[in-house]
Amino acid sequence: MTKRKRRHCRSVDVRINWLQPHVDHFKDWLAEQDYSPATITEVVRLLALWGDWVRAAGFEIETLDAGFAASASVFRGGKTARAPQGAAALFIAYLRETNVLPPVQPPSLEETWPTLAAFRRWMREQRGIKDSTLDTYQTILVDLLAWLGTDPTAYTAAAIRGFVLARAKPHGRGRAQGIAVATRAYLRYLVAIGQCPVGREHAVPSFASWQLATTPRFLEQTDLDRLLAACDGEHRLRDRAVILLLARLGLRASEVANLTFDQIDWVTGRITVAGKVRREERLPLTQEIGDAILAYIERARPRIATTRVFLTDTAPVRPLSRIAVKCIVHRALDRAEIKSPHRGAHVLRHSAATAMLRHGATLAGVGAVLRHRSPSVTALYAKVDIGLLSQIAQPWGGRLPC
C-alpha cells in the first residue's frame, strides 16, 4: 500500500472513530449481503463524510434518526452529492437490524385505513384474490376514500360516478378500466356486508371495450431466438431461466418472481403454479427450462437462506420482485436490439401462446397452459392464424349476394 493510501485509510479511521465499534461489524454485515470489498470501502468512506456533518451538528448514536432527517437538505442535488446519505441509510438499517436503534414501525393499514384492511381480508378469504392484485386496487381505493370519505352511506351514484371519471381522466382506456374494476370490487364488498344498498356497484361507469378488437402482442420466433442469445454467458444464467419460463410456459412476471423450490418437482418434471386466484395448476418442466434453472442454481445463485428460486445479483441480495422480472425482460430486449413497442414481461406470455398455436396446439390446449378461465380470452390468439379463426367464427346470418 502506498503512503498516500495509508494516510487516506488512517484519516477515514480517525474521522469515523466516534461511530466505533459499530463500523467494524457494519462492514461484516455488508460483506454478508455480498457487497464487494471495494464497495464496502467506498461506503465506509462516504459514511465518514456523513459522520463528520452529523457530529458537528451535535447528534449522537441515539439520535442518528434525527441526524439523518436533518442531513437530507445538506446531501442533496446530483447523484454524487446524495451518496453520503445513501451510505448513512445503509448504516442506520444495520443499526436497526442489530437493535442498536429501535425499529421503525410504519403505521399499518389497519391504523390508517381500517376499512381497506377489512376489504383485503375479505377478498383474500372469500374470493381468493392475490396480494399483488389487491395492491393494485389499494392505490385506487385510497384515493376513493380520500374523495368520498369512509362513510358508505355518503356514496351516492353521482358521487361514485364523479370519482371514477375524474380518477380515470388522465389515463388511457386500459387504466380507466382498471379503476372501474377496483371501485366496483370495493362496492360489491360493501353490498355483501350490508353497508351499501344492493345494486350500488352499478353506479360505476363502464369504458368502451370491444371484445377481440385488438391483436395479440407477441415477438416472432427470430426475435425470441435473439432474446435468448442475449442471455448467454455465465453472468446471465438467471436472466435466461427467467425468460424461458416467460416465453415457453407463459408464466406471469409475479409467478416467476414468487417461484419457490417446493413448486418444482424434478422427479415428475412438473412446476406447480398458483394463478391470480390461488388456484394451483401443474405445468410441464421441459428439459430446456429445467437445465436453465439448474445451471442458475448451481453456478450463479447467491447462497442465502430463502426458498425463493430467483434472487437479485447485486447487493443487497433479496428475492426478485415482479417489477425486477419486467426489468430483466426490458434489458434483454435492449441488448438484443429488438425494436418492439411492447417492452414488458407480458409480451412473452403472448409470444408463448402464439408459438404454441403455430406448432399445432389447439385453442383449448393453449388456454390450459395459460390457465385461462374463459375460452373467450384464448380466442384472441386465433388472430395470428387465419385457419384457426374457423374454430371461433360464427356463420354469416345475412343473405348471400345476388
Side-chain angles (χ1 to χ4, degrees):
M1 184 183 292
T2 65
K3 289 183 178 180
R4 183 177 179 181
K5 287 184 179 178
R6 283 197 297 268
R7 284 198 302 271
H8 174 72
C9 290
R10 282 199 299 270
S11 65
V12 170
D13 289 341
V14 170
R15 289 162 56 192
I16 211 166
N17 187 54
W18 74 283
L19 295 175
Q20 297 293 359
H22 306 293
V23 171
D24 288 337
H25 296 300
F26 173 56
K27 291 190 285 188
D28 295 337
W29 181 76
L30 290 175
E32 290 171 1
Q33 298 191 61
D34 282 352
Y35 284 87
S36 68
T39 301
I40 293 173
T41 300
E42 180 64 9
V43 168
V44 172
R45 183 187 71 81
L46 293 168
L47 182 62
L49 294 174
W50 181 80
D52 285 347
W53 184 91
V54 169
R55 189 162 180 80
F59 295 99
E60 300 293 339
I61 289 288
E62 296 76 11
T63 56
L64 280 186
D65 275 332
F68 183 77
S71 65
S73 60
V74 177
F75 298 100
R76 64 183 179 183
K79 183 177 180 180
T80 304
R82 293 196 302 268
Q85 194 80 348
L90 281 172
F91 184 60
I92 290 175
Y94 157 74
L95 294 179
R96 292 198 198 289
E97 189 170 307
T98 54
N99 297 318
V100 176
L101 290 178
V104 173
Q105 296 293 342
S108 65
L109 190 63
E110 284 78 3
E111 295 171 337
T112 53
W113 299 107
T115 54
L116 287 188
F119 167 70
R120 289 182 69 107
R121 287 194 300 271
W122 189 86
M123 291 291 281
R124 281 195 297 263
E125 295 168 3
Q126 305 298 325
R127 300 289 305 279
I129 304 300
K130 298 191 74 172
D131 284 335
S132 57
T133 301
L134 294 174
D135 290 342
T136 303
Y137 287 179
Q138 185 170 309
T139 58
I140 298 165
L141 297 181
V142 165
D143 290 343
L144 183 145
L145 294 181
W147 182 289
L148 300 180
T150 57
D151 182 8
T153 60
Y155 295 178
T156 64
I160 292 167
R161 181 178 177 82
F163 163 75
V164 173
L165 293 177
R167 183 67 168 75
K169 187 176 182 179
H171 305 289
R173 186 180 65 193
R175 182 60 175 160
Q177 289 172 336
I179 293 167
V181 166
T183 305
R184 195 175 292 114
Y186 184 61
L187 290 173
R188 284 172 176 165
Y189 156 73
L190 293 177
V191 170
I193 63 174
Q195 293 190 12
C196 259
V198 174
R200 186 51 50 88
E201 70 274 15
H202 298 308
V204 178
S206 299
F207 296 91
S209 177
W210 292 272
Q211 188 177 21
L212 304 179
T214 59
T215 54
R217 300 168 294 178
F218 64 94
L219 301 180
E220 295 289 353
Q221 187 59 50
T222 54
D223 287 336
L224 285 175
D225 293 340
R226 287 166 54 198
L227 187 66
L228 288 170
C231 296
D232 285 343
E234 291 292 313
H235 61 297
R236 293 204 173 101
L237 292 173
R238 180 201 63 185
D239 294 5
R240 180 177 179 81
V242 165
I243 287 176
L244 281 172
L245 286 168
L246 296 167
R248 299 289 194 251
L249 296 183
L251 266 61
R252 301 177 180 92
S254 59
E255 293 166 347
V256 174
N258 295 324
L259 186 67
T260 59
F261 287 108
D262 58 3
Q263 289 178 257
I264 304 175
D265 188 338
W266 298 102
V267 177
T268 62
R270 294 286 186 272
I271 293 180
T272 302
V273 179
K276 285 185 176 181
V277 291
R278 302 177 188 272
R279 184 181 61 184
E280 290 190 348
E281 304 281 356
R282 288 178 174 81
L283 299 177
L285 177 65
T286 64
Q287 189 71 42
E288 181 187 32
I289 296 173
D291 288 344
I293 295 175
L294 277 177
Y296 167 65
I297 293 172
E298 293 174 352
R299 288 149 46 192
R301 185 181 182 275
R303 299 297 187 258
I304 68 170
T306 177
T307 59
R308 297 269 284 275
V309 175
F310 296 110
L311 310 174
T312 58
D313 54 9
T314 57
V317 176
R318 58 186 180 274
L320 287 185
S321 65
R322 176 176 60 90
I323 300 302
V325 171
K326 293 183 177 182
C327 290
I328 287 172
V329 175
H330 196 121
R331 289 195 298 267
L333 289 169
D334 287 342
R335 288 196 305 272
E337 298 181 351
I338 296 174
K339 307 299 183 183
S340 169
H342 311 294
R343 315 292 291 173
H346 217 67
V347 71
L348 297 184
R349 180 173 168 85
H350 290 310
S351 301
T354 303
M356 283 186 274
L357 286 173
R358 288 182 169 174
H359 284 84
T362 64
L363 285 172
V366 172
V369 174
L370 297 187
R371 291 153 287 131
H372 288 157
R373 288 191 290 174
S374 171
S376 62
V377 178
T378 316
L380 173 68
Y381 296 101
K383 290 189 174 185
V384 303
D385 191 326
I386 296 299
L388 287 171
L389 287 174
S390 62
Q391 297 184 25
I392 61 170
Q394 298 297 312
W396 169 245
R399 294 185 304 171
L400 293 174
C402 296

